[in-house]
Structure formats: C-alpha cells, structure tokens
Amino acid sequence: GAVVSQHPSRVICKSGTSVKIECRSLDFQATTMFWYRQFPKQSLMLMATSNEGSKATYEQGVEKDKFLINHASLTLSTLTVTSAHPEDSSFYICSAVSGAKGNEQFFGPGTRLTVL
Amino acid sequence: DAKTTQPPSMDCAEGRAANLPCNHSTISGNEYVYWYRQIHSQGPQYIIHGLKNNETNEMASLIITEDRKSSTLILPHATLRDTAVYYCIARGSSNTGKLIFGQGTTLQVKP
C-alpha cells in the first residue's frame, strides 16, 4: 500500500516558539494532502487542505496565520504551528491522496505536539 | 457530505464476528460509504468502501442496505488487535474529497 510518513513523531516545545511538522508521501505523488488535529478522546478534526503549488484551504475557525501550510512538492507538505501555546498541544495527522490508487487517502502516523 | 451515526461503543469476543452498524439516512446517490479505523495513538487506517454493492476484502466485509440508508462493517474473526475506533464516513465522489470524521465506534475485542 501507499506509505505516508510524518516527522517528527513527537515534539515538545516551549510556549511562544514555532514548530514545523513534515508530511511525506514515500512511494507516490500527492497533489493534495490534508491536515487534521485530534485532541484526547476526540475525533479527528480537519484543519486544512494542502494543494501542491497553491495556497492551502483552511476550514472554518482555523487560523491560517497560526497554522502555516506549505506544499512545495508532490511528496511533501509542511505544517508550521507558529507561536505555539499549551492549547495547541494535540495530535496532528496528515493524509495524502494517491491518484494512482483511485484517489484514496492514506494517513501518516501522526505527530504528538506538547507545548509547555 | 451526509452525516453518519454510529453507536459510541461495542464489545466483541475474540474469534467472533464483529458487526459494526452505521446509519447514513441522508446519503446522496454519488456518495460512497468509507470505513476507517484508528488504533490508539496512530493514524487512521483504510478498511473498505462501497457505493451500492456489498464489498469484501482481506480485512472486512461491507454490507450496504438496498436503500443505502445504513451499512454494516463485518470483521469476520475479530482479534485483540482489532480493538480500535471505527469510523464510518460518507464521502462524495469528487477526486480529492475530504473526509469528515464523526465520533466513531470504539470496538473492544475481549479475550
């Protein structure tokens, strides 16, 4: 199957700093990737749609200036949490759409962000 | 995309079939029914999807009612490793349709 990786798997940072999370499709090209956030005991919440070569589309209530998304290549999308605060602590998950596999979405393993 | 409704939790004995129901009474004709599962602290894993016909793969079977208002995911021989949250999602047929996750069903497989 198609493989999606995320880096780092875990990150701890101080309040006020910025954190970058990478999402890579390892064996396929993805023109579209999605970013989700998941708080403890809750479901995944879609944050934004990342399109290669164009600006990301954010869901209602998600601050685009706080969660910067860059999809610079067909295999890499990055999410930068700027000026992170403790309430941004969450599990961030990306998914990538494979055109070669019927436009199915494949998910990364997630990144656990803890802001102190 | 149509809203889906699932029971919050279910138990199943190891080795028995797990039948997970999903209601999607407002599903439209071009929306597929997708099932994903999420094992604790991991990303979701695709299980199966279907439009009208029943589907089967190496992981599970998907039974969709004739009126398409509900479906059932069947894990034929549940194992302890099948303990997870199972999500039923109605997704449009657009090429890059986003997935909107509900609360899902927490399946606990017990020895």
Side-chain angles (χ1 to χ4, degrees):
Chain A
V3 180
V4 177
S5 70
Q6 285 185 237
H7 178 79
S9 58
R10 289 178 175 271
V11 57
I12 301 173
C13 70
K14 293 182 179 179
S15 186
T17 61
S18 294
V19 174
K20 180 184 285 188
I21 302 170
E22 294 184 347
C23 177
R24 293 182 185 272
S25 55
L26 297 185
D27 52 358
F28 66 98
Q29 294 183 331
T31 55
T32 300
M33 293 183 175
F34 297 93
W35 286 96
Y36 297 82
R37 180 167 55 180
Q38 185 175 33
F39 293 109
K41 299 189 184 301
Q42 294 187 24
S43 185
L44 285 79
M45 185 194 80
L46 180 65
M47 299 176 67
T49 303
S50 169
N51 295 299
E52 187 268 337
S54 64
K55 291 183 178 180
T57 303
Y58 291 81
E59 295 297 305
Q60 190 172 10
V62 178
E63 300 175 57
K64 61 180 171 66
D65 294 330
K66 180 167 180 66
F67 299 99
L68 301 179
I69 292 173
N70 183 23
H71 194 154
S73 78
L74 289 172
T75 59
L76 173 64
S77 175
T78 60
L79 169 69
T80 300
V81 183
T82 62
S83 186
H85 288 93
E87 57 266 30
D88 298 322
S89 298
S90 189
F91 193 48
Y92 291 86
I93 305 169
C94 73
S95 70
V97 178
S98 172
K101 293 185 182 290
N103 291 318
E104 293 311 322
Q105 282 191 43
F106 297 90
F107 286 81
T111 295
R112 176 77 59 191
L113 170 64
T114 302
V115 184
L116 301 177
Chain B
D1 294 334
K3 179 179 168 60
T4 61
T5 304
Q6 300 175 252
S9 63
M10 290 182 66
D11 289 342
C12 177
E14 187 179 19
R16 305 298 293 268
N19 298 291
L20 292 91
C22 179
N23 285 323
H24 32 79
S25 59
T26 61
I27 197 168
S28 61
N30 68 347
E31 286 183 306
Y32 289 75
V33 179
Y34 279 77
W35 284 84
Y36 285 79
R37 72 180 182 183
Q38 185 180 26
I39 295 170
H40 184 62
S41 294
Q42 297 182 24
Q45 176 190 23
Y46 167 81
I47 301 174
I48 199 167
H49 75 281
L51 183 64
K52 293 181 182 178
N53 300 323
N54 298 337
E55 302 287 343
T56 295
N57 62 21
E58 64 278 5
M59 289 183 68
S61 294
L62 174 60
I63 308 299
I64 303 174
T65 58
E66 194 168 338
D67 62 8
R68 301 189 70 239
K69 292 185 176 182
S70 65
S71 60
T72 301
L73 178 75
I74 301 173
L75 307 179
H77 306 287
T79 70
L80 298 179
R81 290 191 295 179
D82 292 321
T83 293
V85 180
Y86 288 76
Y87 295 100
C88 166
I89 302 170
R91 176 189 172 192
S93 59
S94 63
N95 286 342
T96 56
K98 50 191 176 184
L99 295 171
I100 305 299
F101 286 79
Q103 294 306 305
T105 296
T106 299
L107 175 68
Q108 182 74 46
V109 180
K110 297 185 174 181

